[in-house]
């Protein structure tokens, strides 16, 4: 029986070496080492031997099994490597071909303008805050000194949701939220989306504004002017001048519309500034005492200034974009031009 074991061993080693594929190798394994394989069967016949020979025989069979397992593992690895090599060669992979480029997104021009404005005002110590886009009539109008029948409501074509709830038509309501939350000094910048029922090449039903508000003891119109002058220089270049024109907003008194010297022609006069040399960019003014009173501040103690700037308008001026809709169509060819 010992000889039989050696014979199985030799046949098995030969079959192992002769196997040309992983599949053939597996078949041979079943034949010799499987549940009904030759080596397994002979181990089962140990019982036919005299008891004293059994341990030695068992040991022999196990040694042979270990040896065969090792050969199989080795052969399996060799065959696997060979098959892999063949497969790679057959694939004809040309590693000298240039790779596929990944197209990268860029920051949207609207986001760029908002980010730049935020940075300018953060450097002046402003806190960036946000408010809800669905707003109560109270915050969007009433608290801003625009009562229900006030004609100033006509200035903004508002989307109402219910009688008391609307899509905010301006970022000014964030002023009220900010003042309700905290006592002066207040220095906030509030960028965000606003909505108006208006649509043509310079108006979109959704657009962006950035609201600024400063309230403290002794804030004057000179603070407003100085702040906006610095903003204009940092946003449009150091040579930029500003001009304030008297205007009307219900929540400021006095109110001013602010122009910057034309960033295209530098004030010479061109098509963009309609030969005036100036571009209107924002509304501003000293916070109306009624607004301060509304949030429980004492207008004799504190004063403030506020401003609201249109982001799309700044982007259109800065980049020479003539149609606001280009900003929202998401045509990659258009947007790629603003890669910074
Ligand atoms: N909310 C105004 C608008 O949408 C813009 C504005 C004007 C904001 C004057 C202000 C301000 O804070 O003081 O037309």
């Amino acid at each position: 029986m010992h000889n039989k074991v050696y014979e199985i061993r030799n046949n098995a080693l030969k079959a192992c070496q002769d196997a040309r594929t992983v599949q053939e190798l597996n078949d041979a394994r079943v034949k010799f080492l499987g549940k009904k394989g030759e080596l397994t069967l002979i181990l089962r016949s140990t019982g036919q031997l005299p008891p004293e020979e059994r341990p030695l025989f068992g040991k022999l069979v196990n040694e042979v099994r270990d040896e065969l397992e090792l050969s199989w593992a080795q052969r399996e690895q060799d065959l696997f490597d060979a098959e892999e090599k063949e497969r790679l060669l057959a694939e004809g992979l040309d590693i000298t071909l240039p790779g596929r480029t990944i197209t990268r997104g860029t920051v949207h021009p609207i986001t760029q303008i908002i980010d730049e404005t935020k940075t300018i005002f953060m450097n002046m110590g402003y806190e960036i805050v946000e408010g809800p886009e669905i707003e109560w009539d109270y915050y969007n109008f009433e608290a801003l000194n625009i009562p229900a029948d006030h004609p100033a409501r006509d200035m903004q074509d508002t989307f109402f949701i219910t009688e008391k709830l609307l899509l905010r038509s301006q970022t000014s309501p964030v002023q009220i939220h900010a003042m309700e939350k905290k006592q002066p000094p207040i220095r906030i910048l509030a960028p965000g989306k606003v909505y108006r029922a208006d649509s043509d090449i310079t108006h979109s039903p959704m657009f962006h504004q950035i609201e600024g508000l400063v309230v403290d003891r002794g804030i004057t119109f000179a603070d407003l002017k100085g702040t906006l002058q610095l903003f204009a220089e940092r946003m449009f270049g150091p040579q930029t001048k500003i001009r304030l024109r008297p205007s009307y907003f219900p929540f400021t008194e006095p109110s001013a519309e602010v122009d910057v010297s034309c960033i295209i022609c530098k004030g010479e006069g061109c098509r963009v500034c309609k030969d005036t040399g100036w571009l209107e960019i924002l509304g501003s003014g000293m916070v109306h005492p009624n607004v301060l009173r509304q949030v429980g501040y004492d207008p004799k103690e504190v004063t403030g200034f506020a401003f609201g700037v249109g982001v799309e308008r700044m982007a259109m001026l800065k980049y020479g974009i003539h149609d606001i809709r280009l900003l929202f169509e998401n045509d990659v060819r258009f947007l790629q031009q603003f890669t910074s």
Side-chain angles (χ1 to χ4, degrees):
M1 262 174 58
H2 282 64
N3 284 345
K4 181 70 183 151
V5 173
Y6 285 121
E7 198 188 314
I8 294 172
R9 169 186 175 272
N10 292 341
N11 288 342
L13 284 178
K14 185 165 184 318
C16 179
Q17 287 314 311
D18 287 350
R20 291 280 141 251
T21 63
V22 174
Q23 182 58 47
E24 276 179 36
L25 190 68
N26 281 341
D27 293 346
R29 181 191 180 83
V30 172
K31 181 164 186 275
F32 294 100
L33 297 165
K35 261 194 208 148
K36 290 183 184 152
E38 293 181 17
L39 199 69
T40 318
L41 290 181
I42 201 163
L43 187 64
R44 285 206 197 125
S45 56
T46 312
Q48 295 167 12
L49 289 170
E52 65 274 16
E53 283 181 29
R54 288 179 198 166
L56 214 63
F57 181 75
K59 193 168 171 252
L60 174 69
V61 174
N62 280 332
E63 277 169 7
V64 168
R65 173 176 287 276
D66 288 348
E67 186 193 2
L68 292 180
E69 289 286 3
L70 213 64
S71 312
W72 245 266
Q74 182 59 50
R75 185 71 187 147
E76 189 170 21
Q77 186 63 49
D78 291 350
L79 285 175
F80 185 80
D81 290 350
E83 280 178 18
E84 173 93 342
K85 200 167 156 193
E86 212 165 286
R87 194 172 56 78
L88 285 178
L89 279 173
E91 266 179 4
L93 190 70
D94 182 354
I95 59 165
T96 65
L97 280 174
R100 293 197 182 93
T101 51
I102 296 165
T103 40
R104 269 210 206 179
T106 61
V107 179
H108 194 281
I110 294 295
T111 310
Q112 286 187 37
I113 297 275
I114 292 175
D115 287 349
E116 273 175 53
T117 309
K118 274 159 68 172
T119 304
I120 293 169
F121 282 95
M122 280 193 284
N123 287 340
M124 290 194 249
Y126 285 60
E127 183 190 349
I128 310 298
V129 298
E130 281 183 13
E133 287 170 33
I134 295 175
E135 189 55 281
W136 296 106
D137 181 287
Y138 175 79
Y139 288 93
N140 197 79
F141 292 125
E142 286 224 28
L144 288 164
N145 201 30
I146 317 174
D149 302 317
H150 199 287
R153 289 206 177 197
D154 284 352
M155 287 162 77
Q156 302 175 359
D157 245 327
T158 309
F159 290 113
F160 278 89
I161 298 168
T162 67
E163 207 177 314
K164 290 280 161 216
L165 215 51
L166 45 80
L167 291 180
R168 70 177 177 191
S169 61
Q170 48 185 355
T171 43
S172 305
V174 187
Q175 291 185 22
I176 306 296
H177 289 294
M179 290 190 285
E180 278 183 350
K181 280 196 198 100
K182 164 174 180 330
Q183 290 299 309
I186 296 235
R187 220 187 279 141
I188 56 142
L189 192 81
K193 292 184 173 68
V194 299
Y195 302 84
R196 285 184 206 178
D198 216 353
S199 187
D200 58 40
I201 72 162
T202 54
H203 296 90
S204 153
M206 184 283 299
F207 59 105
H208 298 78
Q209 286 188 336
I210 304 174
E211 192 81 11
L213 174 72
V214 172
V215 184
D216 201 356
R217 288 171 185 276
I219 297 293
T220 70
F221 203 86
D223 296 313
L224 169 65
K225 197 176 169 199
T227 303
L228 295 179
Q229 174 66 46
L230 195 61
F231 166 60
E233 286 171 18
R234 296 202 171 152
M235 190 68 180
F236 298 112
Q239 313 308 332
T240 313
K241 294 186 183 61
I242 65 166
R243 176 176 82 167
L244 279 71
R245 282 180 292 105
S247 184
Y248 172 77
F249 297 102
F251 33 89
T252 44
E253 181 60 36
S255 305
E257 242 152 341
V258 179
D259 301 340
V260 292
S261 50
C262 180
I263 53 186
I264 309 294
C265 65
K266 311 281 176 238
E268 299 280 305
C270 70
R271 202 170 52 91
V272 174
C273 61
K274 300 198 180 79
D275 279 326
T276 61
W278 297 96
L279 300 167
E280 182 193 322
I281 61 155
L282 57 82
S284 66
M286 298 306 289
V287 180
H288 198 292
N290 285 353
V291 174
L292 296 174
R293 259 181 234 115
Q294 195 67 33
V295 296
Y297 291 2
D298 181 354
K300 291 203 191 70
E301 291 284 319
V302 291
T303 49
F305 68 76
F307 56 89
V309 43
V311 177
E312 281 75 7
R313 179 154 174 82
M314 276 203 287
M316 290 172 80
L317 293 173
K318 191 162 175 170
Y319 300 124
I321 300 164
H322 63 282
D323 187 339
I324 196 170
R325 289 168 292 201
L326 286 167
L327 289 167
F328 302 116
E329 279 166 0
N330 293 334
D331 184 330
V332 175
R333 292 166 304 174
F334 170 77
L335 294 173
Q336 267 169 350
Q337 301 174 72
F338 308 99
T339 312
S340 45

